[in-house]
Amino acid sequence: MKSEILSRLSGSYPWGQHLHYFPTIGSTNDHIRTLARSGAPHGTVVIAGHQTGGHGRRGRSFHSPEGVGVYLSILLRPRCAPTDLMHLTCATAVAMCDAVETAAGFRPRIKWTNDLVFGQRKLGGILTELGFTAQGQLDYAIIGIGINCCQQPGDFPEDIRDMAGSLSMAAGRPIDRWQLAAAMLEALEAMDKKLLTQQSKILDAYRRDCLTLGQDVVLVRGDEKRYGKALDIDPEGALIVRFASGETEAISSGEVSVRGMYGYV
Ligand code: BTN
């Protein structure tokens, strides 16, 4: 509930009056997009107790049951060109590692680009999108984040049971999901302050938290699979991969699986 979150935020959190809580919603990203188009301010947040149509990248659904996770979207209106936000998902992932560390006492890793993981299980994900004015200028950025907080293994649907995890499972103790929500909001506000001025520091932190680097990976695009090794993250957040053919490429789209994770052996 809104008061549970507000009471856990520090006095200096500036966007408390722009926090909207819904017990049930289709998708917080879809709702905040409507608010963005009708002029909602920088720092507006939509949080849901439960999403009936939570979604992730590549049209996948994001399982968002009542009472066990944090599902939120934040609206930012950075004054910059869209090309200055290439690192937005990476910056958010590092901020969410900070938030989990604050709320649950351990630091997850990041599977490039947008999965939070611990012990080979996905704890949550990030979905970012940009909106433009009729003149083609950047109007807003939406960042949607879902983190599994209180589930036990049997709570996940069978198709994701082997690869999904929660903060409580990882920490081995119950984690307060309102505390997590507050830590996420504080971390997003801290991220917003340095987003446009500390890009290279943010990407260094991302490299440190990213478990994909140094691993054998497979890039899947349609029917094509290419095997290689993940070497680095470039200044725009793309994954630099050296393929078996000897070519090195910066990958910014496509599914990248890491050997040993989510069933890729
Ligand atoms: C992914 O794993 O590909 C990203 C998942 C993002 C899920 C969050 S939950 C809050 C927000 N609303 C959505 O519909 N999606 C994001």
Side-chain angles (χ1 to χ4, degrees):
M1 271 148 300
K2 188 169 167 174
S3 60
E4 299 280 7
I5 300 166
L6 289 175
S7 67
R8 286 165 173 80
L9 285 165
S10 72
S12 59
Y13 180 78
W15 299 324
Q17 74 276 30
H18 305 309
L19 179 64
H20 304 268
Y21 179 83
F22 296 86
T24 300
I25 205 167
S27 152
T28 57
N29 265 39
D30 294 348
H31 187 71
I32 210 165
R33 191 181 311 110
T34 306
L35 298 181
R37 288 176 181 161
S38 48
H42 183 80
T44 297
V45 169
V46 173
I47 304 192
H50 163 224
Q51 293 185 119
T52 54
H55 48 86
R57 299 207 313 171
R58 279 179 272 284
R60 293 190 184 130
S61 64
F62 187 82
H63 184 60
S64 314
E66 169 61 35
V68 287
V70 176
Y71 321 111
L72 68 80
S73 301
I74 186 163
L75 170 68
L76 300 179
R77 294 189 182 277
R79 294 208 186 99
C80 65
T83 47
D84 295 332
L85 291 180
M86 301 296 282
H87 64 312
L88 183 62
T89 300
C90 292
T92 304
V94 173
M96 291 306 100
C97 288
D98 293 342
V100 170
E101 198 168 9
T102 301
F106 71 92
R107 193 166 185 89
R109 308 290 310 276
I110 303 162
K111 178 183 165 291
W112 184 87
T113 345
N114 67 328
D115 280 1
L116 296 181
V117 300
F118 188 79
Q120 304 190 355
R121 288 178 180 270
K122 175 165 171 164
L123 303 178
I126 297 161
L127 180 66
T128 49
E129 67 178 69
L130 302 182
F132 297 88
T133 65
Q135 294 71 39
Q137 269 143 0
L138 180 67
D139 186 11
Y140 59 81
I142 289 172
I143 307 169
I145 307 151
I147 299 186
N148 305 323
C149 186
C150 312
Q151 290 95 332
Q152 291 304 311
D155 297 334
F156 291 105
E158 216 165 298
D159 57 326
I160 58 169
R161 198 167 291 162
D162 289 342
M163 43 191 182
S166 70
L167 302 200
S168 298
M169 285 164 60
R173 64 183 173 88
I175 302 298
D176 178 335
R177 110 188 134 94
W178 305 124
Q179 197 64 50
L180 172 65
M184 289 165 69
L185 296 182
E186 304 263 12
L188 287 166
E189 200 253 328
M191 175 201 82
D192 175 60
K193 280 195 188 124
K194 55 189 179 192
L195 188 62
L196 299 178
T197 54
Q198 296 187 28
Q199 183 164 341
S200 81
K201 252 185 159 173
I202 290 170
L203 286 166
D204 280 345
Y206 185 88
R207 290 183 185 97
R208 180 198 63 207
D209 287 330
C210 181
L211 65 75
T212 309
L213 294 184
Q215 300 297 313
D216 290 334
V217 294
V218 56
L219 170 69
V220 182
R221 276 192 187 133
D223 290 340
E224 187 198 30
K225 280 188 177 177
R226 297 170 70 201
Y227 295 85
K229 189 175 274 292
L231 300 182
D232 201 358
I233 304 293
D234 83 1
E236 301 190 333
L239 184 68
I240 299 179
V241 177
R242 188 177 56 235
F243 289 102
S245 61
E247 291 161 297
T248 298
E249 275 178 42
I251 307 300
S252 50
S253 67
E255 181 79 32
V256 172
S257 300
V258 177
R259 192 180 284 280
M261 290 202 61
Y262 304 173
Y264 167 41
V265 286

